[in-house]
Amino acid sequence: MVATTNEEQMKRNIEDMPTSLIKAKGFRFATSAGRGDLVRSFYAALMNCGADVAKDIGLWFERSWPTADMTDKEAEHICMFFVEISVLMKPLVKMARIGVLTRVLFSLVLSYTDLVTDVLVCRDYWNTGRTQ
């Protein structure tokens, strides 16, 4: 599968993330592969979650988040943060897809309209341009 430009940019951003941020409590995985897998896992969970975003992201957190070095209270707070941010992000992610589709369709309409006007101008020149 060929990665899209956005996926490649996301991978570069993950790899460029300062290790000092990653070493904060709860982020004990310091290898780029570990944090990249976690970020891609969250992204996939957010993109594929159904109508109950909070439930789906809560399940993702229980399955995927490394909680070995955390207390239950810390894990609960981080889970609540991810659930709330996901609930806010889901409509934006959905609208982003619609926005891309709208821009592509709009540029398609403009291109074909330009093609038609070019043909009409050429036809008009062919019919009247020689006599003027």
Side-chain angles (χ1 to χ4, degrees):
M1 184 171 115
V2 177
T4 64
T5 306
N6 290 337
E7 290 173 350
E8 290 172 356
Q9 183 63 41
M10 184 177 75
K11 288 177 187 175
R12 280 195 298 273
N13 290 344
I14 293 167
E15 299 303 321
D16 294 341
M17 191 182 297
T19 307
S20 60
L21 289 176
I22 301 304
K23 289 185 179 177
K25 189 166 182 87
F27 290 96
R28 295 295 182 203
F29 46 94
T31 64
S32 61
R35 56 185 166 193
D37 291 344
L38 186 66
V39 171
R40 282 187 280 282
S41 168
F42 173 70
Y43 179 75
L46 182 62
M47 295 300 288
N48 296 322
C49 64
D52 192 358
V53 177
K55 177 185 159 205
D56 292 341
I57 296 300
L59 291 173
W60 168 84
F61 187 85
E62 290 175 10
R63 285 191 316 260
S64 303
W65 194 260
T67 59
D69 295 334
M70 305 169 90
T71 65
D72 290 340
K73 195 72 165 170
E74 290 171 332
E76 181 183 342
H77 286 297
I78 292 174
C79 181
M80 286 188 327
F81 171 77
F82 269 91
V83 166
E84 292 301 320
I85 199 90
S86 299
V87 168
L88 293 173
M89 284 174 51
K90 184 62 178 176
L92 298 174
V93 170
K94 184 177 180 182
M95 292 304 293
R97 287 190 220 150
I98 294 171
V100 169
L101 178 64
T102 303
R103 287 192 299 271
V104 168
L105 288 176
F106 184 68
S107 47
L108 182 70
V109 167
L110 287 178
S111 295
Y112 281 113
T113 304
D114 182 49
L115 178 67
V116 169
T117 58
D118 289 346
V119 169
L120 291 175
V121 167
C122 289
R123 194 186 95 198
D124 187 50
Y125 176 75
W126 184 262
N127 292 335
T128 61
R130 294 180 177 181
T131 60
Q132 292 178 350

